[in-house]
Amino acid sequence: MARYAYAPLSAEEGRGTGRRLPHEAAAEAERAANVADRMPMFGGICVLVAITFVLSRSPQAQGGGNAVIGSGGNGNAAIGGAGVATVPEGTATVDGTLSSSSQTNAVTNSAVAPSATTTAYVRSGESNVPPVIQVSPPVKDAPSTVNTASIVTYSTTSDKCDCEGKVDPSSIDLGALRAAALDATPPHIIECSAASAGESQSACHLPKSTRYAALQQKGATLWMTGCSGAGKTTIATALEDRLVKAYGKHVYRLDGDNLRTGINRDLTFSEADRAESVRRTGEIATLFADSGVITLVGLISPYRGDRDAVRKRHEDQGIPFYEIFLDVPVDELKKRDPKGQYARVESGELKHFTCIDDPYEPPINPEITLKTHELEIEQSADILFRRLEMDGILEGAPKISPPGLPNPDGDEVIDLHVPEHLKAAKTEEAERLPKVLITDLDLNWLQVIGEGWASPLRGFMREGTLLEVLHFNSILVDPFNLTENQDIQSSTTNFETFKQFRAPDRISMSVPITLSCTDYTKAAIESSSHNAVALTTQMGNIVAILRNPEVYPNRKEEIVARMFGVIDPGHPYIKEIYKGGDYLIGGEVELLDRIRYNDGLDKWRKTSTEIMEEFKEKGADTVYAFQTRNPTHAGHAYLMRSAGENLKKEGYKNPVLWLSPLGGWTKEDDVPLDVRVNQHEEVLNSGLEHPGGLDPATTVMAIWPSPMVYAGPTEVQFHAKSRRSAGASYFVVGRDPAGMKGSHQAAAHPDDDLYDGDHGRYVLQNSPGIGSMKMLSFVKVMYDITDNVMKVPDDSRLDDFISISGSKMRLLARNGAVPCSATDIPTDLVEANCVPSGFMIPKGWDIVVDYYKNIDSPRWIPWSRPVVDPGASSRTEGSGKFGTGGFQLKHKDYESFWHDIPLHPSSGEDMVVNFITEIPLHMTAKMEVQKALPGNPISQDSNSDGSPRYYTYGTPFFNYGYIPQTWEDPALKDSLGNGGDNDPLDVMEIGSYRLEMGSITPCRVLGHLELIDEGEMDNKVLCIALSDPDASRIHNVGDLERAKPGTVDRLKDWLKRYKTSDGKPENALAGEEVTSAKEAMELIGETHARWKNLCGKGTGYTSGDHGFWLDAAGCKGR
């Protein structure tokens, strides 16, 4: 740790005690140098002590005369008669009369020539320099005069000082003496041994970054300069009031009142003392700001050079300095004249009044200029507040976002994509890790995490994080490790040991972001030697690595109760929670590549950092976000445009709108994502030509990737927080945000709003961790038939306004309503089947009509789900969209995938059969050959509700398919009386590599297991592809266990339990042991014979065709 070493006062320090100081021998040379450096300073101190002694002995000090005691505050001269009196700011009296001001003591018998006049001029050699107000030289024959030069003259009642051999005070130039002492003084009286010579002492202080982070603000100095009466104190007071009371910031004002009564009360109004007043105040401000205080200085400080010196002092210390020029014409100041001083100047009572007959040098390039005569007090305070906000002064963390935009929550930009140069190595690593299945909904959440929308979250929530979210709607973080809790959210939850101090910052986080798994996946994680898992989609694509996995119970009821606060088993997202596995996995993620959905909308999908950069490019000084789940009509556009205008009135120059359609999972009856996005695009294309359009120059549209969970007041907090993480300072919120109607199963509100419409806005405004984000509330707007514009209704003519509700809009769209006459809008729009022309952009309305008239079409994109290639063999061709019921895969070389491909390869060993891959390794889409369709294509199985079927138990570690020209005949019974399952013979290929869908692969048979699935015999043949690297050493089940221990047990677990995650009972095995390869070949032979019978080519008889397509050449065809 850094330490302080006090430099000795003399070379003899420490001597005479009979011992040497511990550091003396090592520092002898350095000590001598220090003495030489410091001796001039101590000489100056001695002189000052002598002066003090002389002054104390002078007649003035002993009551025989009057001495000068300067206020020193703002640089205005103050001269009074005998005795103690208060003097107005910036004044000097004539003829020794007293004048009053705020607690300034001045005693003198000097006077100023009454005939002095003022002249404005620009100094020669200075271009673009504001004029300096200067007083003309005093009248030649004036009595005694206070000299504003650097020399202070003390006059006494006698012409000659009776000093009895002592120093004559009148001969001392205090300003010059002070300057000499400062020049001779080394920069550091107490040296920090950890700092380099001549450098800052900061090495021995708490780092500013740490201090600022703890205080949650940065130090800065706002130096307000201007003539008396310009409003420095008034505006500083208003700003201080707001910062302290509303924002809890540490602020302090320095002005003449609190400086002249203490540290500056020894100063006169000479030019040198005025400079010293500014210097001292600047040093105090520097220290205050360095300590993290926002320091407001209100001094006239008339000389530019003095102010520049203060600026340099701040710059040298790396402290923000704002010179604020209160630019008010003198004529206006005279009218304002709150203390009556300008009137006294006009009357000749006061002289040497800055800006009148003493000079004032206006700033050349101030950070801020306030023409306070054109602004209200609060407007001026607003301008200063906005600048502090824009520059990040009101935040303790370093500014990492563009000016005017807030830092992401946690003060860290979260982008969890693996760098390009590491991608290949990380992808290779992921292939070796245990696989964890993620659904398409989980993929949405993964995108939210990885792209920084849930900052500072870096992965799926651990148990401790989840508990904080459920109970507090927020989490504690320590981004700067102030309390040694920096890794609190990324460490395994510890319920036994707690840190001494809590993390200091509370961050809004209201929605659980969790990843569920089954005990199958849990076992795979716990048995793995790796401390990481690979997150794998339903289509078998590895998209991320999750590090240091923490597996803990999925307490579904607790999550639902805390998250929703309602009882509704029919709630769509609640059903998703209950469908999840019995365990949750927490851990930090690394995205192996950018998540793309390939649905035509990816150009609107931008990461949080990309959006923030777009705001920067548009020059935004604030951003307001508008979330949409519906098409945008003119009422929405009116609200968005009005919000922008209101922000300009608050002082923002370029507020930018973020049109932010929700892109993740939504319930079935919501407007599809592509309909909304395409309609929004037309709204932007129309610009401001239509009342329903938006200005693309001040609007950014980007899909927000989060799922919708319909949790009302709880969820809307996350909506706002997530937008703030990408740069929004304002969030537009309407009635019942994130709410929905309860299902018919809801306990309290069946088929009615689950949440009160006003609660969301109220909770959002008062939620913990929301920080400085502000809400913009919806107002009710209606359609004005007089000008065809949506607006706030005029109470004086309500008959001119009509209401167009969402339900009415949907009905009109379903009916294909056309535009109404602009001059004759009917009262009943539904009956007339028309929509007012100003209600929505015409092309946008066409998109909405198209959707509602074709609402059952499969072409819509409900929400962000990946459109992926099936990974099919090049010898196949597909039709339809993979992942939907319309997808079909056929073989180019064979008419039928079932009947025409031979049982065995054309050549090879006896134990080898042809294996047709239906479901490649890691894929969970339940693909299967379609026995009833012509050509027997491969397509996706469906659930009872018609939706595509997926395995939910986990990620398959095998390729799955069937053996062609086989059939498990229901008439063939096993020893327990179970008949065949009426399908081709199933195969589980246990190699290490993914086989292409529809591929034909020679596969060595190892044995089989007989599964009893809902009363049917469903045999599973085990084989290994001859192309697999392990094929040469695996010829039977014994070889398999030696090469890949535990594989058989994992296969049996899968077969027994893979349906339990869908709420179905476990399957059973007819036997726990895998049969021999020979027995498996006998089974294959039997099922091949049954297939022959089905095709009419065998020796047996099979009644009917069982509803199968058998017209292939290999079966019953020609």
Side-chain angles (χ1 to χ4, degrees):
M1 176 177 290
R3 61 182 178 82
Y4 288 105
Y6 284 80
L9 295 179
S10 72
E12 297 300 315
E13 178 183 306
R15 298 188 184 276
T17 60
R19 60 180 177 85
R20 294 169 63 89
L21 292 177
H23 66 281
E24 185 175 0
E28 194 69 40
E30 181 182 358
R31 182 183 299 112
N34 287 337
V35 172
D37 288 342
R38 288 164 173 75
M39 191 55 69
M41 175 191 70
F42 293 110
I45 292 174
C46 293
V47 172
L48 290 176
V49 171
I51 293 170
T52 302
F53 173 75
V54 169
L55 293 178
S56 69
R57 303 278 296 179
S58 68
Q60 293 90 333
Q62 298 176 22
N66 298 325
V68 174
I69 303 177
S71 69
N74 290 335
N76 286 324
I79 305 170
V84 178
T86 57
V87 182
E89 176 186 350
T91 65
T93 62
V94 178
D95 299 329
T97 59
L98 288 173
S99 54
S100 61
S101 182
S102 53
Q103 302 177 8
T104 303
N105 298 323
V107 183
T108 184
N109 61 358
S110 300
V112 178
S115 59
T117 59
T118 60
T119 303
Y121 70 97
V122 178
R123 294 182 177 178
S124 62
E126 296 185 23
S127 59
N128 301 319
V129 177
V132 177
I133 301 174
Q134 174 71 317
V135 63
S136 62
V139 178
K140 187 174 183 180
D141 297 328
S144 59
T145 305
V146 173
N147 189 352
T148 58
S150 61
I151 299 176
V152 179
T153 301
Y154 293 81
S155 62
T156 66
T157 55
S158 62
D159 293 332
K160 186 177 181 181
C161 172
D162 182 13
C163 299
E164 299 179 355
K166 300 183 176 66
V167 178
D168 183 353
S170 64
S171 67
I172 299 174
D173 186 341
L174 290 179
L177 181 61
R178 187 185 301 117
L182 288 172
D183 288 342
T185 304
H188 309 300
I189 304 303
I190 300 177
E191 292 188 344
C192 169
S193 61
S196 300
E199 294 187 358
S200 171
Q201 301 284 327
S202 61
C204 287
H205 290 273
L206 189 67
K208 276 190 292 191
S209 59
T210 302
R211 183 189 304 277
Y212 293 168
L215 296 176
Q216 298 186 351
Q217 69 178 65
K218 299 180 184 71
T221 294
L222 283 70
W223 191 281
M224 301 186 195
T225 177
C227 298
S228 177
K232 298 181 293 298
T233 298
T234 302
I235 293 169
T237 301
L239 180 61
E240 180 184 39
D241 192 71
R242 178 188 301 189
L243 290 173
V244 173
K245 293 180 179 178
Y247 292 88
K249 300 304 177 184
H250 302 279
V251 185
Y252 196 77
R253 284 189 297 113
L254 296 174
D255 57 25
D257 288 349
N258 55 20
L259 292 170
R260 69 168 61 97
T261 58
I263 195 168
N264 283 349
R265 72 188 185 97
D266 63 315
L267 300 178
T268 71
F269 289 99
S270 69
E271 184 172 347
D273 279 9
R274 289 174 176 180
E276 176 63 9
S277 169
V278 172
R279 188 193 72 81
R280 292 182 187 179
T281 305
E283 290 293 339
I284 296 170
T286 303
L287 292 173
F288 276 25
D290 187 55
S291 73
V293 175
I294 298 171
T295 309
L296 311 179
V297 178
L299 293 182
I300 291 175
S301 43
Y303 300 115
R304 191 178 299 127
D306 297 339
R307 298 192 303 267
D308 289 346
V310 174
R311 175 190 293 277
K312 185 177 187 306
R313 185 77 172 112
H314 281 73
E315 291 174 348
D316 290 345
Q317 297 297 314
I319 298 170
F321 179 84
Y322 300 88
E323 188 175 28
I324 301 161
F325 177 33
L326 278 64
D327 185 8
V328 184
V330 171
D331 289 344
E332 181 66 30
L333 294 172
K334 290 178 179 179
K335 295 176 186 177
R336 186 181 292 180
D337 200 10
K339 300 178 182 179
Q341 294 182 11
Y342 287 94
R344 298 177 68 189
V345 172
E346 289 289 328
S347 69
E349 180 181 355
L350 301 181
K351 291 296 181 180
H352 287 276
F353 193 84
T354 304
C355 298
I356 301 297
D357 54 1
D358 251 20
Y360 177 80
E361 300 174 357
I364 298 175
N365 293 304
E367 278 71 18
I368 301 171
T369 297
L370 296 178
K371 295 182 179 295
T372 61
H373 56 294
E374 299 174 358
L375 299 167
E376 299 292 335
I377 294 172
E378 284 303 320
Q379 289 177 309
S380 295
D382 279 343
I383 292 171
L384 301 181
F385 177 84
R386 300 295 177 211
R387 181 60 180 269
L388 294 176
E389 188 177 47
M390 179 176 292
D391 291 352
I393 302 300
L394 305 184
E395 301 171 355
K399 186 69 174 170
I400 57 176
S401 57
L405 308 188
N407 274 358
D409 277 0
D411 298 306
E412 180 182 6
V413 174
I414 301 296
D415 183 348
L416 304 179
H417 295 91
V418 170
E420 190 65 33
H421 68 283
L422 298 177
K423 191 176 295 184
K426 298 279 188 179
T427 300
E428 182 180 349
E429 177 193 3
E431 292 286 352
R432 301 191 300 269
L433 298 175
K435 307 301 184 292
V436 172
L437 171 65
I438 62 172
T439 66
D440 289 345
L441 192 157
D442 296 329
L443 184 65
N444 292 162
W445 283 125
L446 178 63
Q447 184 180 9
V448 168
I449 297 166
E451 293 182 357
W453 299 102
S455 62
L457 202 64
R458 303 184 69 89
F460 287 99
M461 290 178 178
R462 297 179 179 277
E463 189 169 15
T465 305
L466 176 61
L467 288 173
E468 290 187 56
V469 169
L470 292 178
H471 291 268
F472 311 125
N473 283 358
S474 58
I475 59 175
L476 288 173
V477 297
D478 186 5
F480 303 102
N481 207 30
L482 301 177
T483 60
E484 299 185 356
N485 281 295
Q486 191 170 39
D487 60 351
I488 184 173
Q489 303 299 341
S490 58
S491 300
T492 302
T493 305
N494 187 335
F495 292 110
E496 301 297 329
T497 304
F498 300 93
K499 296 286 182 70
Q500 181 180 3
F501 301 105
R502 292 195 314 173
D505 297 340
R506 186 167 292 282
I507 298 299
S508 178
M509 190 76 71
S510 61
V511 173
I513 302 178
T514 57
L515 176 63
S516 72
C517 73
T518 62
D519 51 1
Y520 164 81
T521 302
K522 175 177 179 287
I525 295 173
E526 293 175 344
S527 63
S528 170
S529 60
H530 302 282
N531 193 31
V533 297
L535 303 185
T536 309
T537 69
Q538 292 171 301
M539 295 306 184
N541 297 320
I542 300 173
V543 292
I545 295 174
L546 183 147
R547 303 284 182 188
N548 189 24
E550 175 182 340
V551 182
Y552 58 98
N554 185 3
R555 302 184 184 278
K556 302 175 186 179
E557 187 174 38
E558 179 182 355
I559 292 173
V560 169
R562 282 281 178 181
M563 181 176 175
F564 294 92
V566 298
I567 300 173
D568 185 2
H571 187 289
Y573 198 85
I574 291 176
K575 289 196 293 186
E576 292 294 325
I577 291 175
Y578 277 107
K579 281 164 56 178
D582 292 334
Y583 298 93
L584 297 175
I585 306 172
E588 291 61 58
V589 300
E590 300 172 10
L591 272 62
L592 298 177
D593 204 347
R594 184 159 184 168
I595 294 175
R596 294 291 190 185
Y597 294 93
N598 304 310
D599 55 2
L601 302 177
D602 281 333
K603 68 177 181 178
W604 298 111
R605 293 186 175 97
K606 305 166 186 176
T607 68
S608 61
T609 51
E610 288 172 342
I611 292 176
M612 195 172 288
E613 189 62 29
E614 193 165 346
F615 294 147
K616 180 180 178 181
E617 291 173 359
K618 287 186 177 291
D621 57 359
T622 194
V623 173
Y624 60 110
F626 187 97
Q627 175 175 301
T628 69
R629 282 194 297 125
N630 287 294
T632 297
H633 56 63
H636 298 131
Y638 171 83
L639 292 170
M640 288 184 263
R641 291 198 303 265
S642 297
E645 292 303 317
N646 290 336
L647 289 172
K648 287 183 179 179
K649 292 177 183 177
E650 291 186 18
Y652 293 107
K653 301 299 183 183
N654 190 32
V656 169
L657 165 67
W658 176 8
L659 187 60
S660 181
L662 180 140
W665 177 93
T666 55
K667 54 189 176 70
E668 292 179 353
D669 59 351
D670 274 10
V671 179
L673 175 61
D674 59 334
V675 174
R676 290 182 279 125
V677 170
N678 292 334
Q679 193 269 349
H680 296 344
E681 190 171 4
E682 293 300 335
V683 168
L684 289 174
N685 289 339
S686 71
L688 299 178
E689 296 179 359
H690 188 280
L694 295 170
D695 184 3
T698 58
T699 304
V700 170
M701 187 173 82
I703 294 173
W704 182 54
S706 175
M708 188 76 189
V709 302
Y710 307 96
T714 296
E715 182 179 6
V716 74
Q717 297 172 63
F718 180 70
H719 290 182
K721 166 252 175 27
S722 187
R723 275 26 179 263
R724 184 174 63 250
S725 291
S729 296
Y730 292 85
F731 184 67
V732 183
V733 58
R735 185 185 180 279
D736 195 20
M740 62 169 287
K741 291 188 179 299
S743 73
H744 67 280
Q745 298 175 275
H749 302 284
D751 303 314
D752 196 5
D753 291 344
L754 286 173
Y755 306 102
D756 185 283
D758 294 324
H759 287 185
R761 285 181 293 192
Y762 182 87
V763 169
L764 179 57
Q765 192 67 45
N766 296 284
S767 61
I770 203 65
S772 60
M773 193 172 201
K774 299 176 180 63
M775 310 308 147
L776 302 174
S777 292
F778 272 19
V779 294
K780 182 177 178 59
V781 294
M782 300 176 69
Y783 193 89
D784 188 345
I785 62 176
T786 65
D787 59 4
N788 289 296
V789 173
M790 297 282 283
K791 63 182 65 167
V792 177
D794 184 343
D795 291 339
S796 66
R797 53 183 186 91
L798 290 178
D799 290 343
D800 292 336
F801 291 84
I802 59 175
S803 176
I804 306 176
S805 65
S807 58
K808 183 181 291 187
M809 182 201 74
R810 290 188 287 271
L811 178 58
L812 289 169
R814 277 194 295 270
N815 294 339
V818 297
C820 303
S821 168
T823 59
D824 185 19
I825 300 175
T827 304
D828 191 337
L829 299 177
V830 175
E831 182 179 358
N833 197 32
C834 72
V835 61
S837 60
F839 175 70
M840 189 179 290
I841 298 297
K843 289 184 178 180
W845 178 251
D846 292 342
I847 293 171
V848 175
V849 169
D850 181 34
Y851 165 65
Y852 279 106
K853 291 185 72 173
N854 301 280
I855 197 168
D856 295 324
S857 170
R859 61 188 169 97
W860 310 117
I861 302 171
W863 47 282
S864 298
R865 305 188 72 176
V867 177
V868 300
D869 185 90
S873 166
S874 61
R875 301 310 307 155
T876 64
E877 56 184 1
S879 61
K881 181 180 177 181
F882 183 50
T884 69
F887 174 77
Q888 290 187 359
L889 189 69
K890 294 184 177 181
H891 207 283
K892 294 179 180 179
D893 303 327
Y894 299 99
E895 181 182 16
S896 169
F897 252 125
W898 183 15
H899 305 302
D900 293 344
I901 300 172
L903 173 66
H904 295 283
S906 57
S907 61
E909 55 188 89
D910 294 339
M911 308 298 286
V912 174
V913 296
N914 277 326
F915 165 60
I916 313 299
T917 302
E918 294 173 307
I919 307 174
L921 177 71
H922 302 152
M923 183 179 288
T924 62
K926 184 65 174 70
M927 310 301 294
E928 60 181 26
V929 66
Q930 299 299 309
K931 304 184 295 293
L933 295 180
N936 309 118
I938 294 173
S939 62
Q940 191 165 356
D941 194 11
S942 60
N943 295 309
S944 58
D945 61 358
S947 61
R949 183 183 170 195
Y950 294 88
Y951 292 129
T952 60
Y953 189 53
T955 300
F957 61 97
F958 46 82
N959 293 289
Y960 191 82
Y962 63 95
I963 300 174
Q965 297 185 347
T966 61
W967 177 48
E968 292 203 77
D969 187 353
L972 180 64
K973 307 291 183 179
D974 65 3
S975 59
L976 301 176
N978 300 303
D981 70 350
N982 211 23
D983 286 331
L985 193 58
D986 293 331
V987 177
M988 304 171 83
E989 193 277 325
I990 48 74
S992 302
Y993 293 92
R994 187 174 187 174
L995 301 178
E996 295 175 327
M997 185 184 297
S999 61
I1000 305 170
T1001 306
C1003 203
R1004 179 180 296 126
V1005 175
L1006 306 177
H1008 84 279
L1009 287 164
E1010 182 182 336
L1011 176 70
I1012 309 302
D1013 185 356
E1014 298 181 11
E1016 294 180 334
M1017 179 175 57
D1018 187 4
N1019 288 287
K1020 308 294 180 183
V1021 174
L1022 310 186
C1023 77
I1024 185 167
L1026 296 186
S1027 58
D1028 191 87
D1030 291 323
S1032 61
R1033 61 189 183 121
I1034 299 178
H1035 293 79
N1036 52 52
V1037 175
D1039 292 342
L1040 173 62
E1041 282 300 292
R1042 282 186 288 273
K1044 298 184 175 185
T1047 299
V1048 171
D1049 286 340
R1050 293 183 69 196
L1051 287 169
K1052 291 191 295 184
D1053 176 84
W1054 176 276
L1055 292 173
K1056 290 178 182 179
R1057 308 198 62 207
Y1058 78 96
K1059 290 185 177 180
T1060 58
S1061 55
D1062 297 322
K1064 297 180 180 180
E1066 287 191 18
N1067 295 321
L1069 292 173
E1072 290 293 322
E1073 299 297 324
V1074 180
T1075 66
S1076 66
K1078 180 181 178 182
E1079 291 173 295
M1081 289 302 298
E1082 291 173 354
L1083 171 65
I1084 293 170
E1086 177 64 32
T1087 56
H1088 180 60
R1090 295 284 174 159
W1091 171 81
K1092 285 184 175 181
N1093 292 341
L1094 179 66
C1095 292
K1097 296 181 177 181
T1099 58
Y1101 170 75
T1102 299
S1103 60
D1105 59 10
H1106 292 262
F1108 302 152
W1109 185 80
L1110 304 174
D1111 292 338
C1115 190
K1116 290 185 176 181
R1118 293 186 298 274

